[in-house]
Amino acid sequence: MGSANWSGGLAATRHLIELGHRRIAAITGPADMMCSLARLDGYRSAMNSAGLPIEPSWERFGDFHVEGGRDRMAELLSLPERPTAVFAGSDLQALGALEAARSVGLSVPEDLSIVGYDDIPLAQWVSPRLTTVHQPLRRMGEEAAKLVLELGRSTPTSTPRMDLATSLVVRDSTAPPRG
């Protein structure tokens, strides 16, 4: 059971491109997790489709936690040519990125746009309210429970897989780049 991670990464990055960003970074989860790689692939597809360069130094693997997002964003902000926007592979990492930006005097979204992933309840209460990819977590849980019940009744002939659609929720943490 999962969400359409690739299309979520694509939608988040396309949103930033449509706002006019060209220097877009990605902070994803652990390199050994399929969802992290799928979200990163969606980011890369959006960048490639728009004809934008993908700087290897702008791709960072994190841990889906606030501290990892903060630390990876701090690294990105220390680059000679820093990104104007970042797609974070989780809302918690996006909150860490927000903290890193504020700690060096940057304003979100005026100086840096941030998009998260998950649409956790906190995303709508932070300031600025976080633009994020909504993942249908409740429905994912319901479908997983149904699957467990079905598996208890019979032996499957194949491994069931279901990817539920994601959607972009635009709030206040993204804006066109300055200048």
Side-chain angles (χ1 to χ4, degrees):
M1 200 63 44
S3 69
N5 290 293
W6 180 86
S7 61
L10 182 79
T13 308
R14 277 187 176 161
H15 171 67
L16 294 168
I17 292 167
E18 289 166 2
L19 287 172
H21 291 279
R22 299 295 173 257
R23 297 192 327 258
I24 303 168
I27 301 171
T28 192
D32 61 352
M33 290 184 70
M34 295 260 312
C35 64
S36 301
L37 298 174
R39 292 171 194 179
L40 185 61
D41 283 346
Y43 156 83
R44 288 174 177 162
S45 292
M47 296 292 281
N48 285 329
S49 292
L52 297 176
I54 300 171
E55 295 292 330
S57 63
W58 290 350
E59 293 182 348
R60 302 293 165 123
F61 287 94
D63 58 7
F64 289 139
H65 298 290
V66 174
E67 297 80 11
R70 181 196 59 220
D71 295 346
R72 299 300 78 76
M73 192 73 236
E75 294 167 5
L76 290 165
L77 293 175
S78 70
L79 295 173
E81 186 175 33
R82 68 172 178 80
T84 63
V86 64
F87 161 52
S90 75
D91 287 346
L92 293 177
Q93 285 183 141
L95 295 175
L98 179 62
E99 180 185 332
R102 286 182 176 156
S103 73
V104 296
L106 296 178
S107 177
V108 174
E110 292 81 4
D111 300 315
L112 178 72
S113 284
I114 299 174
V115 178
Y117 197 105
D118 292 324
D119 195 20
I120 62 173
L122 184 60
Q124 64 184 323
W125 297 107
V126 297
S127 181
R129 296 177 322 130
L130 188 62
T131 295
T132 185
V133 175
H134 175 77
Q135 201 172 193
L137 296 174
R138 178 182 298 259
R139 179 145 180 252
M140 288 165 62
E142 291 168 354
E143 294 298 331
K146 286 180 194 174
L147 182 59
V148 167
L149 293 173
E150 286 176 29
L151 290 173
R153 289 192 287 267
S154 64
T155 304
T157 56
S158 64
T159 304
R161 176 82 188 145
M162 180 185 290
D163 283 332
L164 301 174
T166 57
S167 59
L168 185 67
V169 179
V170 178
R171 294 190 179 111
D172 306 325
S173 64
T174 56
R178 283 194 180 180

